[in-house]
């Protein structure tokens, strides 16, 4: 049975984390560098059936040397978990049966809002361009906050 990582998932240098921002229609992806300092937007997958999504993720994991997944957990602002958290936990449970990688669930509160604000206020991107970028940028925001946390944890 799937059990999310309790503490920080530490990878040896040379391996990568893949961050996921799971939406109902898309999955935003971000990839860490091999030194675990920088998260970069990778791509946005249009959601299909779980088997097709999982096959594409397996291809990316193999191609990019990914050794751990970081899934954004959409906790409510009051700290409770709703249906979206349940869906994320179910996705993690199902993907763990196909890929024996450590999976960390990371509180993603405010990530999409922060990315939207940055794209509107600072980058002045059009609505169409924001829609195209928001998921992979949110995944990058989630993964970067996780990398910053792991880097600050005692070994």
């Amino acid at each position: 049975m799937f059990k999310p990582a309790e503490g920080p998932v530490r990878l040896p240098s040379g391996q990568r984390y893949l961050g996921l921002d799971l939406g109902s229609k898309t999955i935003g992806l971000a990839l860490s560098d091999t030194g675990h300092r920088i998260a970069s937007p990778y791509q946005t997958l249009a959601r299909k059936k779980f088997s097709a999504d999982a096959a594409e993720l397996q291809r990316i994991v193999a191609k990019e040397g990914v050794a751990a997944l970081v899934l954004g957990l959409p906790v409510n602002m009051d700290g409770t978990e709703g249906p979206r958290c349940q869906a994320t936990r179910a996705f993690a449970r199902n993907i763990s049966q196909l890929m024996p990688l450590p999976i960390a669930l990371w509180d993603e509160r405010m990530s999409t809002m922060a990315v939207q604000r940055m794209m509107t206020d600072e980058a002045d991107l059009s609505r169409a361009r924001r829609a195209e970028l928001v998921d992979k940028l949110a995944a990058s925001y989630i993964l970067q906050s996780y990398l910053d946390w792991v880097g600050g944890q005692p070994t």
Side-chain angles (χ1 to χ4, degrees), residues 9-20 30-42 57 59-70 99 101-104 143 146-147:
V9 174
R10 295 189 188 279
L11 296 178
S13 186
Q15 296 180 332
R16 294 176 147 174
Y17 295 89
L18 182 66
L20 289 82
L31 195 60
S32 76
D33 66 324
T34 57
H36 315 138
R37 289 185 180 88
I38 299 171
S40 299
Y42 187 73
L57 288 172
R59 185 191 68 74
I60 292 166
V61 163
K63 175 184 173 197
E64 300 295 347
V66 170
L69 303 178
V70 177
M99 290 189 269
L101 300 176
I103 298 175
L143 182 55
Y146 184 80
L147 294 175

Side-chain angles (χ1 to χ4, degrees), residues 130-141:
R130 288 193 310 263
E132 180 183 314
L133 295 174
V134 69
D135 297 314
K136 64 183 175 182
L137 288 175
S140 181
Y141 186 93

Side-chain angles (χ1 to χ4, degrees), residues 2-3 7 10-12 15 21 32 52-54 57-58 68 72 81 97 116-118 120-123 127-128 136 150:
F2 168 72
K3 184 175 182 195
R10 295 189 188 279
L11 296 178
Q15 296 180 332
D21 179 34
S32 76
D53 296 344
L57 288 172
Q58 286 175 307
E81 293 190 11
Q97 294 174 358
Q116 287 279 19
R117 186 175 308 124
M118 183 270 306
T120 304
D121 297 346
E122 297 171 26
R127 181 173 293 191
K136 64 183 175 182
V150 166

Side-chain angles (χ1 to χ4, degrees), residues 34 38 40 44 48-49 54 57-58 76 81 84 103 112-113 115 123 133 155:
T34 57
I38 299 171
S40 299
T44 301
K48 299 176 179 125
K49 291 185 177 183
L57 288 172
Q58 286 175 307
N76 294 324
E81 293 190 11
R84 290 185 58 227
I103 298 175
T112 300
M113 186 182 306
V115 168
L133 295 174
T155 52

Side-chain angles (χ1 to χ4, degrees), residues 65-96:
V66 170
L69 303 178
V70 177
L71 276 65
L73 188 65
V75 178
N76 294 324
M77 291 304 291
D78 66 1
T80 61
E81 293 190 11
R84 290 185 58 227
C85 281
Q86 292 171 1
T88 299
R89 289 183 184 282
F91 183 92
R93 191 171 40 256
N94 293 335
I95 206 75
S96 71

